[in-house]
Amino acid sequence: MLVVAFFILWIGAISVRLVHLQVNQSEWLREQALDQRRDELKSKMLRGSILDRTERALAMSVHVKSLYADPAEITDVEKTAQQVAEVLKTKPEQILNDLREAKEKGKRFVWLARKLDEDAAQEINKALEDTKLKKFDLPKFAGLHWKEEQKRNYPYKKLAAQVVGFSNSDDVGQAGIEQSQEELLNGAVIQAWQDRDRLGRVYDQSEIKREPPKDIVLTINSSIQYKVEHALEKGVKAAHAKSGVAIVLDPKTGEVLAMANYPTFDPNNFNEFPTENFKNKAVQNSFAPGSIFKLVTYGTALQEKLIKPDEWFSCGNGVIEVGKREFRDNHCGKAISFTKALAISSNLGAIKVGLKIGENKFSNYIRHFGFGEMSGIELPAEMRGLVRPLEKWKGDSLASMSIGYEIGVTPLQIASAFATIANDGVRVRPRIIKEIRQADGKVISTTESENIRVVSAEAALKLRGMLREVVLKGTGKEAAIDGYSSAGKTGTAWKYDPKIKRVSGSKYVSSFIGFAPVDDPSIVIAVVLDEPQGALRNGGQVSAPIFREIAEQVLPELNVVPDENIRPDNLMAQEIPSETEVAPISTQKEDAPKKAEKTATSEKIKETKKENEPPSEEKKSIKQKPVMLNNENENKLSRERIKQKT
């Protein structure tokens, strides 16, 4: 009975224990068994590439290896830290502190070196090899292991850096397209496991795949982007400006062919540059546009048939009072046409046009031109600009906004407005993504821009003709292009200084925005310089030359047929001297609008500015290049003379 009782108790105890292990603790024991024999691997598929429109890779990912330590597998922490530090050429104190802290807290993972290429990994394997150690993976060193990762590479370095952006060490986009298209570019996590025997040999494995990342094809042309960045950098340095932005748009499609910022940075080593350089000021900065905003003022008036380009108006004594505020203009003379007023950037003329329009219509057209709203371009942190509601306008707001004050715009917004006039009055929302592809090259999505009619084709044509005079006879002569007709508008606006809480007379934003050729524009180019210093700092002096340099390189690359001829030396017409200041017209009568204007020889006149007067456009003092034939009859005559000589 004693023996039987013993066996009953013994079997009962075993049964209870078995029930406890196989029922109550089955899941826990299963996890422990898997943990002992199974390695769970997590890795990411390579992040999608960013390409320009010509298939050049602006951003791509490559496979790399990262070295980490498992402190639980390390017996001599100090010796390990010393040996690893010698190989990695770093300070052993940091490695030692990290290993000690992890060991005390029971952590089993400490990074030692991140994202090394295969050659560097092989050198480390060789340097740390312990021939006595039996270990199934590399490096043959106790407690050290490799982890497969990926590294982002930007082959063209600084090219389009603010547009492309960059990703951090965890492959998460931090700026530009890398950030805005993170969901498409980010590689899906691949989960896999391997079962090993007691000797570390793999006898079973599995893998789970998910949808692969996508490639992004931009509208940017890397060749044009390079030319624009080079011209912008040179112009910013020449003007001693704080920074600069340049944009090249296709007005018909809304595609951004180039978007440059200076200063810039190298996304391969973004930590070495100020964070301010990461900012894409083409969409993330707003400024008071000044005279370039007169495009909206005159465009609205032409659409509403309130003025005619050749219509004359009286300048009075050069002073106009609006809402108890006086606006002065020393350049208007006694009488002038609206075309001439725009050409010489007369503030008085623009204010008179604005008053004809009225607050309600002007407010509506500002919105129609795309101001006060985001353009929808596929870039992060785009600003809306500043357009106050009509009920918050003051007595002089209409006059101020007519000449580009009391309003904030981004460079892309104002470039899009000029593209509207270049595209016969149709605003095409700008875009910078051309298409989205799978890794195998299959196109899964293309972007199309929305078209919005703003003004009629007739009004746009008239305004293009007026903007042409800005380059021929006005403040934008430095924007004249060899072989092509060009048109545009200069702008020189005082900046708001937060220190003194008002507009500063010593800080400027100087700009030129234009298009070419005039009759059928192929490109719109916007150049904006922030705080140029020195004697030459107006838009016509510092920004227009950058426009010209960009246009003279980009138009031939786009195979745009020249629409003007450069006059041969032996047939050169008398050179028209550049105007430093346009002298007031004292002989013109208001009732003689069609009387021919005499071209005045330019002598530098010191510009006098009064405290309450917005800065008007200074004229360039650099000698103009040989005059290009832009008249059909003159071109015909030149060809006949050349034929006779041959």
Side-chain angles (χ1 to χ4, degrees):
M1 292 294 292
L2 183 63
V3 172
V4 171
F6 171 78
F7 275 105
I8 291 174
L9 292 174
W10 180 54
I11 294 173
I14 291 177
S15 299
V16 171
R17 181 61 176 165
L18 286 174
V19 170
H20 176 69
L21 292 175
Q22 295 186 17
V23 177
N24 297 338
Q25 291 188 312
S26 61
E27 289 298 323
W28 180 82
L29 290 171
R30 182 175 181 276
E31 290 176 2
Q32 293 296 311
L34 287 174
D35 187 54
Q36 290 179 8
R37 74 173 190 270
R38 176 171 293 179
D39 295 329
E40 185 175 351
L41 307 175
K42 289 186 177 181
S43 62
K44 287 185 178 180
M45 299 179 70
L46 284 180
R47 188 176 177 86
S49 298
I50 301 175
L51 313 170
D52 82 333
R53 66 187 304 121
T54 62
E55 306 295 326
R56 291 186 176 96
L58 302 177
M60 57 188 296
S61 292
V62 294
H63 287 290
V64 290
K65 291 183 177 180
S66 294
L67 184 66
Y68 72 94
D70 183 351
E73 299 176 358
I74 300 175
T75 54
D76 192 339
V77 175
E78 292 185 1
K79 183 178 179 181
T80 298
Q82 186 66 39
Q83 288 180 278
V84 172
E86 289 180 3
V87 174
L88 298 181
K89 297 179 181 179
T90 186
K91 295 180 180 180
E93 293 82 8
Q94 183 62 47
I95 297 177
L96 179 60
N97 291 337
D98 291 344
L99 291 177
R100 278 179 175 173
E101 182 181 356
K103 202 171 183 66
E104 290 173 0
K105 295 181 178 180
K107 294 182 179 179
R108 302 198 60 179
F109 192 96
V110 176
W111 285 118
L112 298 177
R114 297 293 303 274
K115 301 192 175 185
L116 305 176
D117 59 29
E118 187 61 32
D119 292 338
Q122 292 299 333
E123 290 180 6
I124 292 175
N125 288 338
K126 186 176 180 181
L128 292 176
E129 185 176 8
D130 184 356
T131 56
K132 298 179 180 179
L133 180 66
K134 292 184 178 180
K135 189 167 176 276
F136 70 89
D137 65 335
L138 296 175
K140 295 287 186 180
F141 193 93
L144 301 191
H145 306 275
W146 288 109
K147 182 177 178 62
E148 295 288 339
E149 287 197 293
Q150 56 179 290
K151 181 180 180 181
R152 203 62 166 163
N153 183 37
Y154 303 91
Y156 291 92
K157 299 182 178 179
K158 295 182 179 181
L159 190 75
Q162 287 82 5
V163 173
V164 175
F166 62 92
S167 58
N168 60 16
S169 58
D170 295 322
D171 297 310
V172 178
Q174 300 296 298
I177 294 295
E178 293 275 31
Q179 180 181 356
S180 67
Q181 305 302 310
E182 170 67 21
E183 292 186 5
L184 295 174
L185 291 168
N186 193 10
V189 176
I190 299 176
Q191 292 183 334
W193 52 264
Q194 294 177 333
D195 284 347
R196 299 178 182 272
D197 62 14
R198 64 187 183 88
L199 298 178
R201 294 173 297 191
V202 177
Y203 65 86
D204 193 13
Q205 61 182 358
S206 179
E207 187 173 329
I208 303 172
K209 290 186 177 181
R210 302 168 81 179
E211 189 174 351
K214 308 295 187 298
D215 294 336
I216 307 295
V217 182
L218 303 181
T219 60
I220 294 289
N221 183 308
S222 57
S223 175
I224 294 176
Q225 179 75 23
Y226 173 79
K227 293 177 173 66
V228 172
E229 289 187 4
H230 179 72
L232 179 64
E233 178 181 358
K234 187 168 67 173
V236 170
K237 290 180 177 178
H240 304 288
K242 183 179 178 181
S243 63
V245 172
I247 302 171
V248 179
L249 272 175
D250 184 332
K252 296 179 178 63
T253 64
E255 292 183 341
V256 177
L257 302 180
M259 182 179 284
N261 289 260
Y262 187 83
T264 185
F265 71 100
D266 183 352
N268 292 299
N269 307 294
F270 61 88
N271 289 325
E272 300 176 6
F273 295 85
T275 55
E276 177 66 17
N277 291 16
F278 304 160
K279 194 174 184 180
N280 188 348
K281 296 181 179 179
V283 296
Q284 293 176 303
N285 261 25
S286 67
F287 64 101
S291 292
I292 53 176
F293 198 73
K294 292 172 184 175
L295 172 108
V296 179
T297 307
Y298 282 91
T300 301
L302 290 169
Q303 173 63 20
E304 294 295 322
K305 300 186 182 339
L306 299 173
I307 64 169
K308 296 179 181 179
D310 57 355
E311 179 184 350
W312 286 53
F313 65 92
S314 173
C315 297
N317 60 353
V319 179
I320 186 170
E321 184 175 339
V322 182
K324 297 182 181 181
R325 179 183 173 188
E326 282 189 350
F327 295 85
R328 295 181 177 272
D329 191 337
N330 296 328
H331 314 294
C332 196
K334 290 186 178 180
I336 196 173
S337 69
F338 286 112
T339 295
K340 187 69 174 180
L342 181 61
I344 66 173
S345 200
S346 167
N347 286 333
L348 191 147
I351 291 172
K352 285 202 168 190
V353 173
L355 294 177
K356 283 177 175 285
I357 298 169
E359 291 183 347
N360 288 320
K361 285 184 179 179
F362 195 49
S363 175
N364 290 335
Y365 274 93
I366 288 173
R367 299 284 182 178
H368 289 335
F369 271 96
F371 299 103
E373 65 177 34
M374 292 187 290
S375 69
I377 196 167
E378 306 91 336
L379 289 169
E382 182 184 7
M383 291 189 68
R384 294 178 179 271
L386 174 64
V387 179
R388 290 183 300 156
L390 189 58
E391 56 270 18
K392 292 186 178 181
W393 287 23
K394 300 177 183 178
D396 61 350
S397 291
L398 177 59
S400 295
M401 296 177 75
S402 298
I403 58 176
Y405 285 91
E406 290 193 30
I407 189 168
V409 306
T410 67
L412 182 62
Q413 284 176 334
I414 194 68
S416 179
F418 273 78
T420 299
I421 301 303
N423 192 38
D424 291 332
V426 177
R427 177 162 65 96
V428 183
R429 291 191 182 274
R431 57 193 176 103
I432 204 164
I433 292 182
K434 190 174 182 65
E435 59 189 29
I436 300 170
R437 299 179 182 173
Q438 291 181 344
D440 58 4
K442 181 181 179 182
V443 177
I444 61 173
S445 175
T446 57
T447 57
E448 295 183 3
S449 297
E450 179 185 357
N451 295 349
I452 305 167
R453 169 67 67 180
V454 179
V455 299
S456 66
E458 179 185 1
L461 181 62
K462 289 178 180 178
L463 186 51
R464 288 206 299 270
M466 296 174 71
L467 293 171
R468 173 64 172 150
E469 291 298 303
V470 175
V471 175
L472 291 177
K473 300 176 183 178
T475 59
K477 292 179 182 177
E478 283 293 330
I481 309 170
D482 285 339
Y484 298 92
S485 61
S486 60
K489 185 69 189 77
T490 56
T492 310
W494 288 337
K495 283 186 65 177
Y496 177 81
D497 191 340
K499 292 182 179 179
I500 61 177
K501 296 183 179 180
R502 61 183 176 86
V503 171
S504 171
S506 61
K507 295 182 178 181
Y508 295 83
V509 174
S510 301
S511 56
F512 183 88
I513 305 179
F515 45 82
V518 175
D519 290 338
D520 185 20
S522 297
I523 55 171
V524 171
I525 302 172
V527 180
V528 181
L529 299 189
D530 186 18
E531 295 187 25
Q533 305 294 323
L536 303 180
R537 56 182 179 179
N538 284 353
Q541 297 168 329
V542 296
S543 298
I546 301 174
F547 167 90
R548 182 186 66 236
E549 182 175 345
I550 292 172
E552 288 180 348
Q553 296 183 72
V554 171
L555 287 169
E557 182 166 344
L558 294 176
N559 298 318
V560 178
V561 179
D563 64 336
E564 288 195 353
N565 300 319
I566 299 176
R567 189 184 298 276
D569 291 341
N570 60 338
L571 296 174
M572 188 191 302
Q574 182 180 359
E575 184 175 337
I576 301 174
S578 304
E579 296 180 0
T580 308
E581 284 290 347
V582 178
I585 302 174
S586 58
T587 58
Q588 300 286 2
K589 294 184 179 180
E590 189 173 355
D591 59 350
K594 296 186 179 180
K595 184 176 179 180
E597 297 180 31
K598 295 182 180 179
T599 306
T601 14
S602 70
E603 294 179 357
K604 190 169 184 179
I605 300 175
K606 295 181 179 179
E607 182 178 356
T608 58
K609 295 180 182 177
K610 299 191 177 180
E611 186 176 353
N612 61 349
E613 176 190 1
S616 58
E617 302 300 325
E618 296 178 15
K619 312 303 180 284
K620 65 182 179 57
S621 57
I622 302 172
K623 190 175 181 181
Q624 194 177 11
K625 292 188 285 186
V627 178
M628 298 177 290
L629 290 176
N630 51 44
N631 184 280
E632 187 176 352
N633 294 330
E634 291 184 79
N635 290 338
K636 184 176 180 181
L637 179 61
S638 299
R639 289 192 293 269
E640 290 176 354
R641 290 180 180 176
I642 294 172
K643 186 175 181 181
Q644 289 173 1
K645 288 183 72 71
T646 55

